[in-house]
Amino acid sequence: METVDKAIMAFSQSEKVKTGIIWASQSLSLLHGLPGAERKGAERIVTTLINMIIQEVKLAEVVSGDDRWKGIASQIEKSIMMIDSGVGEEAVNHLSRALSFVTNIGQQSMLLLRDKGLL
């Protein structure tokens, strides 16, 4: 993180992405008990949410200039592959890894902003 502006953008995006990942993970946990057609519909809704999260991750990479967001996008994209393969519950593992990476970026951004006296 080179500048305050980039740190602000990274922190803001990290909070938004973390929220989306948590929602998606919780939604995936609910799939287990759904019958066939309802499960397929729910999977499509969760996949749409995850695709929206991926767009936010890509935006974060652009506005922050931080390449670590690419790895986060990759982990989240793997979760979609798991859902498409019929093992949506396994997608939570990839989302958890992505959440850890996003949290790290957010913490580093917050520390830079704190050190600059902005938080």
Side-chain angles (χ1 to χ4, degrees), residues 6-110:
K6 288 183 179 183
I8 290 169
M9 295 306 293
F11 181 70
S12 173
Q13 285 300 110
S14 73
E15 292 300 306
K16 193 183 326 180
V17 170
K18 283 192 314 187
T19 300
I21 291 172
I22 292 167
W23 284 5
S25 296
Q26 290 176 338
S27 298
L28 285 168
S29 297
L30 299 173
L31 292 179
H32 181 63
L34 295 176
E38 288 180 24
R39 180 181 173 110
K40 286 294 178 194
E43 286 173 347
R44 283 194 302 268
I45 291 169
V46 174
T47 298
T48 300
L49 171 62
I50 293 172
N51 278 314
M52 290 169 41
I53 296 166
I54 290 169
Q55 293 305 312
E56 291 298 328
V57 169
K58 290 178 180 179
L59 175 63
E61 180 185 351
V62 170
V63 298
S64 71
D66 191 336
D67 287 340
R68 292 179 294 174
W69 289 100
K70 286 180 187 172
I72 294 167
S74 174
Q75 284 297 321
I76 297 172
E77 288 166 350
K78 287 177 186 174
S79 72
I80 292 176
M81 287 188 279
M82 301 302 284
I83 294 168
D84 290 346
S85 298
V87 287
E89 297 85 5
E90 299 296 322
V92 175
N93 294 330
H94 296 288
L95 292 174
S96 295
R97 283 188 209 113
L99 181 61
S100 177
F101 296 141
V102 172
T103 300
N104 187 29
I105 290 172
Q107 287 174 335
Q108 289 178 352
S109 301
M110 186 176 63

